[in-house]
Structures are given as C-alpha cells and as structure tokens.
C-alpha cells in the first residue's frame, strides 16, 4: 500500500531523515518506534507532503506521491492525526470535523457528511456531547479523539497517527486504542502508528520499525521486536 | 475625503433651513455624515482584515483597490458609455482580477520573506497602481452620477443624500454576505481555518495558497465595491487611495486586527469622531483628533476596543 | 593594513573621501544638489536602519522627527533671530525629548500596531505643521531661513554645503558602525533574533529599543536641521506620511540587515527619480515597477545577505 524508498528529508540544511525505507501493506497496523528527535514525525510529515525538501520515492497504491502538495495527497487517501493535535481551536468540534471532509465536500452530498458525523459520534460518544463546544476548550483526551476523527472524516485508506498517547491518562489511551483496533477490524483501515509509548505500540501492531537519528535500525514482526534485546533494553527498560 | 461632502451637506442644510440650524439638527447631520464615512472606512478595514487573517500582511495597496474601483467605473461609464450599474459591475470584477494578479505575481513569489519585506511589496504595489492610474487617467478628478438621483430628503430636519443609503445598504450587504460565507460555507470555514492554523489546514487537505489567493480576491472585491459606491460623493482621483488606506488601517487596528464586527464599529466611531470634530472643533484638526483617540486606544487597549481581557493577556502586540 | 581598513573610522573616512571625489568629478551644481539631498536622507535612513535591522522594529513616522528638527531650527532662527549655534542644539534636544516621551508608550507595541502608532504620530505632527499658522505659516510654509556660517565661511553654494553635509554623514556612519560593532550592537541583534531570549540573557530590551528609537529620531533631527538651512524654506508637504514610507522603503530596498544597505537603498531611490523625470507622466509608474522588481528579485534587499529559506511548513 505504502512503500518508502531511501527517503531523505531536510530542514533548512539539516538532514533529518537519512535514506529511510519501509513498506506498509493493506490492512496492517504498523508502528514506528523511536526516541524524541529521531525523525518519527519528520517521516510522517514527509509522507503527507508537509516537508518541501525531500528526495527518494514514496509510493502510495503504486503511485509516486513524493513532492505532491498535501491537499493532493489527502485527496488520494492518506490522513494524518498530527503531533500536538493541531486542531482549529477557536472553531467548534463540528466545524473541525466538517473541515476534515474538505476535499470531497459539496452541498449535494450533505447527507453523506451527516452520516459520517453520526458514525464518528458512535465511535467517540464523548465528542457527540461536545459538538457545539470550541475545540480549544476540550480536554486533552477529547482533543486527541477529535484530531483522529478529523483525520477519519477525510475517508483515508491509510491513517497516520503521530503520538496519539502523549500527555493522556492511561484510561483514555486505552479507550482510544480500543476504538482504533475495532475500527481497523470493521473497515480494514491501514494504520501507521508513531509512538513513544513502546508497550502500547507493540501491543496493537502487527509489524514495526525502529528509528534512530533518522535511520531505520531494526524492523520485524511484533514478536520479533518484543523479544529483541536492543528494543527491550532501549525502549522497554528491561535488561 | 469627506470634506467636500460635509461642506456640501452643510450647504444644503443651511440652504433648506434658511441658515438657522438648530444645534440638534446639526448634530444629527454630523452623525449621519459620520456614519456614511465610517461605513467606507469599515469596508476598507474589512479588506485589510481578510488579507491579514490569511497572510499576516497589512496590505498598503488596499486603499488603491478603492481608488481603482472608482476610476475604472468612471472609465466604463464616461468613456465607453456603459450603463451605470454595468460599469460598476465591470469595475468591481476588474479590481478583483487585479487583486488576484497581485497575489499571484508578487505576494506568492516572495511569501517566505519577512513581514516587513512583504509590506514593502504592498507599498510598491500601491505606487504601481497609483502610477498606472495617473498614466491612464491623468491627474484629474472624476465623478460618477449618484445611483438614484441627487435629490436629498429630510430626516428630522437633517438632509440625507440618496447615495448615503446606497453606501449603508452595501455595507450591510457585504457584511451579511461575509457572515454567511465564513459561517456556513465550507470554503469560508476553510479560510477561517487557514487563519487559525495553517499547518493544520494543510493537514486536512486545504490548498492554503488558493485560500490566500481567494483572500486577495475578496478584499479587492470589497475595495472595488467601496470605490464604486463612494465616487458619486467624493470623486475618483489617482491619489485617493493613500489616505483611505491610512484611515482603513487605523479602523482595522481600532477594531482589533482581523475582527470584522470590530471593523464596522471602529469605522463608524472614527467617522463620527471626524465629523463631530470637523463640525464642532476644527476641520483642520479632525484627523488629528481621530488619530489621537486611536493612539490612546493603542496605548491602553492594544488589542482594539473590543478585545477581550483574556485574549489581550495571551497575545503580544 | 587590512584590519585597519575594517575599522569604522577608516570606513567613515573612505566614505568622505569618496564623496569628495564624486563631487569633483561631477562638478555640475544640479547633481551636487541631488547628492546633498542624498546625504541628508542617508542620515535619516541610517538611524532607521538601526531601528529596523537591528531591533526589528518599524517606524512609519520618521518624517515627523525630520520635520520637528527642521521646523524648530527654522522657527528659532527666523522668528527669534537666534544664532544657528544655539538653534541646532535646541532643535536636537527638542526632537530627542519628544521621541523619548512618545517612544515609551509606543515601543511597548509590536509589529503592525507599532507601525500604526508611529504612522499616527507622524500624521499628527504633519497636521500640526499645517494648522499652527502663527508659527509654521500653515500649508504655504515659510522662508528666509538663514544659511549656515562656519569659521566665517558662509555655506552659500551647493559645493560648500555638500562638503559640510557629507562630513556629517561620515560622522554619523562612524557613530553608527561603532554602535553596531559594540556590545550594544550585539545585544540589538539578539533582540532581533527573539525578544524573550534576549531578555532571559539579561538584556533590557525595552530600554535598548527606546535608545535606538531616540537615536534614530536624533539623526532625523540633524537631517532636518541640514535640510532647513539648505533649502531655506519649509512647508509641511515635505514631512508627510509619504516621505516616512519612502524612508522605510529605502532601508528595505537596500537591505535591513546592514547599515550599508540603507546607504545603497537611499542612493538608488534618491537618484532614480532624477533619471525618471525624463519620462514625465510615466515616472510614478516606472518607479513603482522598478521598486516592485527589486523587491521581487531580491526580497532581502540589494545589499542583503540571502537568508536561507525558512520553510518548515509552519508558515506561508
């Protein structure tokens, strides 16, 4: 579904990703593990077209998407729930969701939009209760739910999640992740999950990659990674 | 810009009431003039706000959009003998195109430069528009006929020109249209979203560059409309834009940059201040009085008169 | 030798020598007259460049300080027949005091709000020049301002005045370069980079900004003094918002990051209209086109250093 080949990304003159290659198959949950500043978010931002200076190839469903603008990439079927949520804080929950449908919205398919919103409120009932509230006034967990929901509104086939668990209470994290697994089972959505919380990430994924200073140093199936000494030592704190 | 208008109004009022104007009527007269002029300021300020919201730039060519609107309408009406309303329509569409070209061929090219550079580019554009207008139409001032005659009518002894009602009507129209646009349409919401968080706008698949183009189109459009409707009262002249731009900028600041409701109220406040001080204190100092008020607001309430306390604490000015 | 040439002193001396060579080669009094104006403008834009380039603040009211300097010395010498040796310091001090008083509340503002405030102040001063008929002669202005006499030599032609003005320009450049290279200059750069960072490392940003603002006003006042005694006639039209905007444009065209940028920008935009006179009614149009072309092709200014593109996806 998604294939990244020797991707390099630059911030000004700093090379943040050094020839990263990975692939994600349809219906998988793949995770990317790494420490702060290892290039995790840069990778996601590069895929969605937010970083102008990249080299290498990114194939999405057989089509080269590197260098395309983000609105084209979103239209092709990739959505990102970014780090730090990046909501439109002074706008209502409903408006945030509607903006997620920007690329296919038209007056004619309003019904579809309403169904979609209903569906979101079934997934995250908490949001339904707050639909008129301004996004900036929501709690951290609700904001994260809204960020994921907004991404889902654009009908992605590949969902990129950037550290959804940051700053949230364990119970809320569990709630969100349960919803995500359910969603994946029901809709066969492909998810690429970037996490610092390695336990959590390895728990939900099928495969994973480990990134360090802009390079993929390790990849494998869930069990392989869970039993890998390096992973155990560096990310799970077990000797 | 309002001086000939006030003189004219005062002349008519004196004439009609036989020179004996009662102070109440006089005040009413000033109020009416103030609201009219304020509406124009408000329109210019709304134009400032739309571009500011999408780019963070203060567009010093905003006043020149107004000038161009008036000049082009006069050109269609007087030189090409196109009917008045059609001339206005043509003028407004052309100004809108100019606004879009300006964005595509100037702002877009250097959009990653510092804000000061971008502002200087709008100043260059302002000089360019002015130079172009002077080159094409010379240094004369032109007038358009009023949309529905020049026969004033009376309101409690004060005179109102029919054109005044057109101006107020158009302000109302523009504001309602913008409100509907920003509140109920997806494109309007997307534009608002861009002003709040450009990165997030990109993430949800909004074409931010197109939104910026649209914002220039919209403010040029509003500027053009203001130019057409005000020309019957204040004449069109190649150099009219600067002062209007200055007043519009002041209005936008007073109302709080980016705040549309604020711009309307601030426009009317500045218009009233000018007319009251012109009528009651001194016409030479009317601008100074308006400016001093503006400075006082800036010093004591830098977010504009309508900024909320909490908002002021968060923002830096 | 090389390092000696790099001192502010050497640079200022070289500027002066160069200006004299220029005068000798030009000879034509008309051109020399244009260059006298150029010198006067450079004095103002040097101050503005310190403010814009080194503190990142903007002033759209610089013409006001120029005007206050010019009008004060003009009024003192014609109405009160005061000698120039007294009128100069008085006009300078008055401008500095006014700049100081208005600077305190104004410089608390930033960005567009600061631009509006300085613009408003400039306009108010301009209106006062127009309306204070008894002192300023109103819109038609007043004349008969005496010429400057130094050591018994009256500066009664363009060449003498040229030398006088450019000596002062060189001195101002010397002063400004010294400021830039001093500890204060480095602190100023820090303000430009980020005010919060600067204040956390113990720089009193508010005070420094105010000093530079007042210094810029002082420069403008000196320029006003030179202008008044050169033209010997003052009217408010010179000190309008348009002139303030022109000054800011000069600095931006040359490049805000450097004082020499201001010198170059001022030279280009002062000499350019002289050539454009040839085009009569086109002149504003062509001026606009050239200005636009410069800003589009070199947004960092003619003398600016190309700043690497900041495209983190956050802005623009």
């Amino acid at each position: 579904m998604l294939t990244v080949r020797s991707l390099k990304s630059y911030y000004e003159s700093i090379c943040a990703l050094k020839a990263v290659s990975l692939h994600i198959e349809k219906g998988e949950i793949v995770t990317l593990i790494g420490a702060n500043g290892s290039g995790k978010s840069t990778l996601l931002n590069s895929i969605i077209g937010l970083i102008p200076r990249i080299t290498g190839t990114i194939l999405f469903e057989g089509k080269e998407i590197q260098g395309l603008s983000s609105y084209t990439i979103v239209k092709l079927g990739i959505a990102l729930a970014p780090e730090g949520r990046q909501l439109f804080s002074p706008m209502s929950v409903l408006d945030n969701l509607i903006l997620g449908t920007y690329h296919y919205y038209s007056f004619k398919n309003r019904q579809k939009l309403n169904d979609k919103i209903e569906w979101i409120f079934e997934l995250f009932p908490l949001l339904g209760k707050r639909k008129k509230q301004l996004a900036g006034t929501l709690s951290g967990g609700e904001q994260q739910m809204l960020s994921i929901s907004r991404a889902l509104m654009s009908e992605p086939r590949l969902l990129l999640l950037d550290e959804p668990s940051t700053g949230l209470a364990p119970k809320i994290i569990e709630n969100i992740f349960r919803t995500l697994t359910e969603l994946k089972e029901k809709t066969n959505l492909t998810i690429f999950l970037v996490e610092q919380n390695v336990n959590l990430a390895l728990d939900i994924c099928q495969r994973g990659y480990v990134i360090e200073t802009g390079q993929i140093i390790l990849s494998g199936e869930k069990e392989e990674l869970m039993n890998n000494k390096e992973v155990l030592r560096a990310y799970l704190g077990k000797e | 810009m309002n001086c000939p208008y006030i003189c004219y109004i005062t002349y008519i009022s004196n004439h009609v009431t036989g020179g004996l104007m009662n102070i109440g009527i006089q005040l009413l007269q000033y109020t009416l003039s103030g609201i009219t002029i304020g509406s124009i300021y408000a329109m210019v300020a709304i134009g400032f706000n739309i571009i500011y919201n999408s780019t963070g730039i203060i567009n010093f060519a905003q006043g020149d959009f107004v000038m161009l609107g008036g000049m082009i309408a006069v050109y269609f009406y007087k030189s090409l003998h196109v009917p008045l309303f059609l001339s206005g329509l043509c003028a407004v569409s052309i100004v809108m195109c100019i606004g879009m070209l300006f964005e595509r061929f100037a702002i877009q090219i250097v959009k990653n430069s510092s804000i000061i550079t971008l502002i200087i580019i709008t100043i260059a554009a302002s000089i360019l528009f002015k130079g172009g207008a002077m080159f094409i139409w010379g240094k004369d001032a032109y007038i358009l006929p009023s949309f529905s005659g020049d026969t004033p009518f009376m309101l409690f002894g004060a005179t109102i020109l029919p054109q005044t009602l057109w101006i107020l009507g158009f302000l109302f129209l523009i504001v309602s249209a913008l409100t509907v646009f920003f509140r109920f349409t997806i494109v309007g919401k997307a534009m608002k979203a861009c002003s709040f968080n450009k990165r997030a706008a990109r993430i949800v698949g909004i074409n931010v560059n197109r939104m910026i183009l649209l914002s220039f189109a919209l403010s040029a459009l509003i500027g053009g409309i203001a130019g057409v409707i005000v020309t019957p009262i204040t004449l069109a002249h190649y150099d009219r834009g600067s002062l209007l731009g200055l007043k519009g900028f002041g209005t936008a600041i007073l109302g709080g940059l980016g705040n549309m409701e604020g711009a309307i109220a601030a426009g009317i406040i500045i218009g009233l201040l000018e007319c009251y001080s012109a009528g009651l204190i001194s016409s030479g100092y009317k601008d100074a009085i308006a400016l001093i008020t503006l400075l006082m607001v800036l010093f004591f309430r830098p977010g504009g008169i309508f900024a909320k306390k909490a908002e002021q604490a968060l923002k830096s000015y | 030798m090389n390092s000696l040439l790099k001192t502010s002193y050497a640079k200022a001396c070289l500027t002066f020598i160069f200006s004299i060579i220029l005068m000798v080669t030009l000879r034509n009094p008309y051109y020399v007259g244009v260059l006298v104006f150029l010198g006067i403008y450079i004095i103002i834009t040097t101050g503005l460049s310190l403010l814009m380039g080194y503190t990142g603040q903007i002033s759209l009211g610089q013409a006001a300080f120029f005007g206050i300097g010019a009008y004060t010395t003009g009024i003192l010498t014609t109405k009160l027949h005061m000698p120039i040796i007294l009128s100069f310091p008085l006009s300078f001090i008055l401008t500095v005091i006014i700049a100081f008083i208005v600077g305190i509340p104004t410089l608390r503002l930033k960005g567009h709000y600061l631009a509006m405030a300085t613009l408003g102040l400039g306009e108010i001063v301009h209106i006062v020049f127009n309306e204070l008929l008894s002192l300023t002669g109103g819109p038609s202005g007043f004349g008969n301002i005496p010429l400057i006499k130094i050591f018994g030599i009256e500066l009664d032609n363009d060449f003498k005045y040229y030398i006088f003005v450019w000596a002062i320009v060189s001195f101002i450049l010397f002063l400004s370069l010294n400021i830039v290279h001093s500890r204060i200059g480095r602190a100023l750069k820090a303000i430009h980079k980020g005010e919060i960072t600067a204040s956390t490392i113990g720089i009193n940003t508010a005070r420094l900004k105010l000093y530079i603002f007042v210094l810029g006003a002082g420069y403008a006042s000196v320029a006003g003094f030179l202008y008044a005694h050169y033209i010997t006639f003052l009217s408010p039209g010179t000190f309008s918002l348009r002139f303030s905007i022109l000054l800011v444009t000069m600095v931006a065209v040359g490049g805000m990051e450097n004082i020499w940028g201001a010198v170059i920008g001022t030279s280009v935009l002062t000499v350019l209209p002289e050539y454009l006179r040839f085009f009569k009614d086109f002149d504003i149009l062509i001026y606009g086109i050239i200005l636009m072309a410069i800003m589009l092709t070199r947004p960092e200014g003619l003398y600016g250093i190309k700043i690497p593109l900041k495209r983190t996806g956050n802005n623009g």
Side-chain angles (χ1 to χ4, degrees), chain C residues 90-103:
Chain C
L90 282 178
S91 68
F92 184 79
I93 290 166
L94 181 70
T95 316
V96 163
I97 290 173
I98 291 176
F100 193 78
I101 293 169
V102 300

Side-chain angles (χ1 to χ4, degrees), chain C residues 13-56:
Chain C
C13 283
L14 283 175
T15 309
F16 187 63
I17 294 167
F18 177 71
S19 67
I20 298 299
I21 296 172
L22 198 63
M23 181 187 83
V24 174
T25 30
L26 279 174
R27 289 218 194 110
N28 180 332
Y30 176 74
Y31 291 134
V32 171
V34 171
L35 293 184
V36 168
F37 280 115
L38 174 61
I40 291 172
Y41 296 162
I42 285 178
I43 294 174
I44 316 176
T45 50
T46 306
L48 198 55
S49 152
L50 285 176
L51 188 71
M52 282 168 68
Y54 290 87
T55 68

Side-chain angles (χ1 to χ4, degrees), chain C residues 96-178:
Chain C
V96 163
I97 290 173
I98 291 176
F100 193 78
I101 293 169
V102 300
I104 292 171
T106 309
L107 287 170
R108 291 205 328 243
L109 303 168
K110 286 194 190 82
H112 302 309
Y113 296 86
L114 178 65
M116 182 69 231
T118 52
L119 189 155
L121 289 169
E123 272 302 283
I124 291 170
V125 171
H126 182 230
I127 292 167
V128 171
F129 289 158
N130 260 313
E131 299 298 322
L132 215 59
L133 289 170
S134 56
L135 276 179
T136 66
S140 45
F142 69 101
N144 292 328
I145 300 168
L147 297 170
I148 298 176
K149 222 184 240 180
I150 322 174
F151 310 124
I153 308 167
E154 189 159 61
L155 304 176
D156 55 356
N157 70 29
D158 291 327
F159 294 97
K160 288 182 198 162
Y161 211 81
Y162 179 94
I163 297 170
F164 180 61
V165 165
W166 279 89
I168 293 176
V169 171
S170 308
F171 175 71
I172 294 271
L173 283 174
F174 169 69
L175 204 67
S176 311
L177 288 169
N178 265 344

